[in-house]
């Protein structure tokens, strides 16, 4: 009896010690800014916000209308679970999804949130170049960031690898949702935009009016030549799991969606007026057998973004606005749990040979 009691006490002390060790090693979020040179000599550099696990204590820092809760310039942990590329929406910012990026960093991931050159809050020139440029360049920009980080001596050896290579996922919102799905293999046909907006402009007015002062034509404009309408595949085989939040889906062909095989989760904002779900998120989910659709009741389009400290106007009103009774902070906390868990499950854990 006494021996059993001693063993029980020893087991309890051991468990307590292990729990304490895990608590001491629990990661916080670190933050740094990186500038990546353009892919060509005349291309603009890409600004990237890096979020990563660290043992340093975080602090709250206001960065424009958004707030970062991380240890600025802190030393990173030696190893990360993987790399997650984060793509913002139309005219957005790399800081618009801080809470999600920080949650992924605390869960052990390196997060690279890029500011899309030519499509951010400071520069809208990419949209003016037409649909081929807009829907082609965004995924290329994301792949360029992955290229740079996998070559950077500061970060490349910290990213976990398995028998398939580096463990890489991607998450995006709105046009960023389009971007990460294109990385997964979905392919855009710009003639679909013209046909959609010719028949459904009244039902999907913001998507069909964005980028045009008169709001009368499909945007981004589709080319008239049939041979120019189907964009080449921009699949990046290194991206092995994606999360798309309120994604732009009209441009994608049904056939290409059906060919996507990487684990995919789609979050739909039920009351989305910017990208009406039945044309966008639900079109993707209907045609992608591998996709899991999660509908967020009573949510507007910008529910997946952090709430800014000042009004930011869009064609759908203020980014900070929510429908009566909607709890954005509860959704962001939910995403902070669900998205890291999704990548933990979706990215293989087998060790590299």
């Amino acid at each position: 009896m006494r021996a059993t009691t001693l063993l029980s006490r020893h087991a309890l002390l051991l468990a307590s010690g292990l729990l304490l060790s895990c608590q001491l090693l629990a990661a916080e979020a670190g933050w740094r800014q990186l500038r990546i040179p353009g892919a060509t000599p005349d291309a603009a550099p890409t600004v990237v916000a890096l979020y990563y696990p660290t043992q340093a204590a975080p602090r709250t820092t206001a960065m424009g209308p958004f707030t970062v809760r991380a240890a600025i310039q802190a030393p990173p942990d030696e190893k990360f679970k993987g790399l997650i590329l984060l793509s913002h929406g139309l005219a957005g910012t790399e800081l618009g999804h801080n809470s999600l990026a920080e949650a992924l960093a605390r869960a052990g991931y390196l997060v690279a949130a890029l500011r899309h050159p030519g499509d951010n809050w400071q520069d809208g020139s990419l949209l003016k170049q037409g649909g081929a440029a807009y829907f082609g360049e965004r995924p290329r920009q994301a792949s360029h960031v992955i290229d740079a980080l996998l070559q950077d001596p500061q970060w490349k050896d910290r990213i976990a690898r398995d028998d398939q290579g580096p463990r890489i996922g991607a998450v995006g919102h709105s046009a960023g949702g389009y971007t990460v799905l294109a990385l997964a293999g979905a392919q855009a046909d710009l003639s679909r935009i013209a046909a959609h907006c010719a028949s459904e402009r009244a039902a999907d007015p913001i998507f069909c009016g964005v980028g045009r002062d008169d709001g009368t034509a499909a945007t981004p404009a589709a080319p008239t030549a049939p041979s120019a309408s189907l964009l080449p595949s921009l699949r990046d085989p290194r991206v092995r799991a994606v999360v798309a939040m309120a994604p732009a889906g009209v441009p994608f062909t049904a056939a290409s969606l059906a060919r996507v095989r990487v684990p995919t989760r789609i979050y739909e904002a039920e009351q989305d007026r910017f990208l009406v779900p039945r044309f966008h998120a639900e079109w993707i989910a209907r045609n992608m057998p591998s996709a899991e659709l999660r509908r967020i009741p009573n949510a507007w389009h910008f529910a997946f973004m952090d709430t800014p400290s000042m009004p930011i106007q869009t064609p759908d009103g203020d980014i900070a606005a929510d429908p009566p009774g909607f709890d954005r902070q509860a959704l962001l906390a939910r995403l902070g749990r669900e998205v890291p868990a999704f990548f933990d499950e979706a990215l293989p854990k087998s060790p590299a040979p």
Side-chain angles (χ1 to χ4, degrees):
M1 181 72 176
R2 179 175 173 79
T4 302
T5 302
L6 288 173
L7 285 172
S8 298
R9 287 178 179 174
H10 179 74
L12 180 61
L13 288 170
L14 179 61
S16 300
L18 289 173
L19 178 61
L20 179 59
S21 297
C22 291
Q23 290 172 338
L24 289 173
L25 293 174
E28 296 290 352
W31 188 95
R32 295 185 188 185
Q33 188 181 83
L34 185 66
R35 291 178 68 87
I36 296 174
T40 60
D42 59 341
T46 302
V47 176
V48 180
L50 294 178
Y51 305 76
Y52 52 86
T54 181
Q55 298 304 305
R59 58 188 175 91
T60 300
T61 305
M63 296 188 181
F66 295 100
T67 300
V68 173
R69 297 176 181 85
I72 309 297
Q73 298 293 337
D77 284 358
E78 286 301 311
K79 290 292 181 182
F80 308 142
K81 287 181 180 177
L83 167 64
I84 307 297
L85 188 287
L86 196 159
S87 174
H88 63 70
L90 175 74
T93 168
E94 73 278 15
L95 302 173
H97 300 276
N98 284 322
S99 61
L100 176 56
E102 291 156 10
L104 283 161
R106 290 193 299 271
Y109 290 96
L110 170 63
V111 180
L114 75 154
R115 182 191 305 170
H116 280 278
D119 186 27
N120 58 70
W121 65 281
Q122 293 177 309
D123 181 3
S125 60
L126 188 58
L127 189 65
K128 297 175 183 177
Q129 298 174 36
Y134 188 82
F135 290 110
E137 281 304 309
R138 268 182 149 266
R140 291 188 189 100
Q141 292 167 353
S143 288
H144 179 59
V145 170
I146 295 173
D147 291 341
L149 288 171
L150 292 182
Q151 296 168 13
D152 191 323
Q154 172 75 9
W155 305 104
K156 64 177 184 177
D157 293 332
R158 289 184 161 91
I159 299 168
R161 303 176 65 93
D162 55 34
D163 52 6
Q164 298 181 47
R167 301 177 72 232
I168 300 175
V171 56
H173 173 238
S174 192
Y178 161 85
T179 301
V180 301
L181 288 164
L183 296 177
Q187 193 170 356
D189 184 340
L190 301 184
S191 67
R192 282 188 43 78
I193 302 173
H196 169 73
C197 291
S199 62
E200 302 289 358
R201 183 184 311 281
D204 199 12
I206 296 178
F207 173 78
C208 291
V210 166
R212 287 297 184 97
D213 293 337
D214 60 8
T216 61
T219 300
T224 55
S227 61
S229 68
L230 182 65
L231 298 188
S233 174
L234 298 168
R235 176 175 174 263
D236 189 328
R238 299 170 299 185
V239 175
R240 291 150 55 184
V242 300
V243 173
M245 304 178 293
V250 161
F252 291 127
T253 68
S256 71
L257 289 169
R259 290 193 296 268
V260 173
R261 289 294 180 266
V262 303
T264 302
R265 178 176 293 169
I266 301 164
Y267 285 97
E268 171 193 318
E270 184 183 45
Q271 303 300 326
D272 197 331
R273 302 167 302 194
F274 204 107
L275 296 171
V276 176
R278 70 179 184 273
F279 303 125
H280 296 277
E282 292 173 13
W283 164 257
I284 295 166
R286 283 196 305 271
N287 290 284
M288 187 185 294
S290 62
E292 172 196 3
L293 178 65
R294 294 197 175 184
R295 182 176 293 110
I296 307 301
N298 197 34
W300 283 343
H301 183 70
F302 296 105
F304 302 97
M305 292 184 65
D306 288 9
T307 304
S309 60
M310 58 180 284
I312 300 176
Q313 294 302 319
T314 76
D316 193 30
D318 185 4
I319 283 177
D322 291 305
F326 183 78
D327 188 341
R328 187 183 299 204
Q329 294 309 307
L331 173 60
L332 294 176
R334 172 183 166 181
L335 293 173
R337 298 187 299 271
E338 291 184 356
V339 175
F342 169 81
F343 285 118
D344 284 350
E345 181 68 23
L347 294 173
K349 302 176 179 62
S350 57

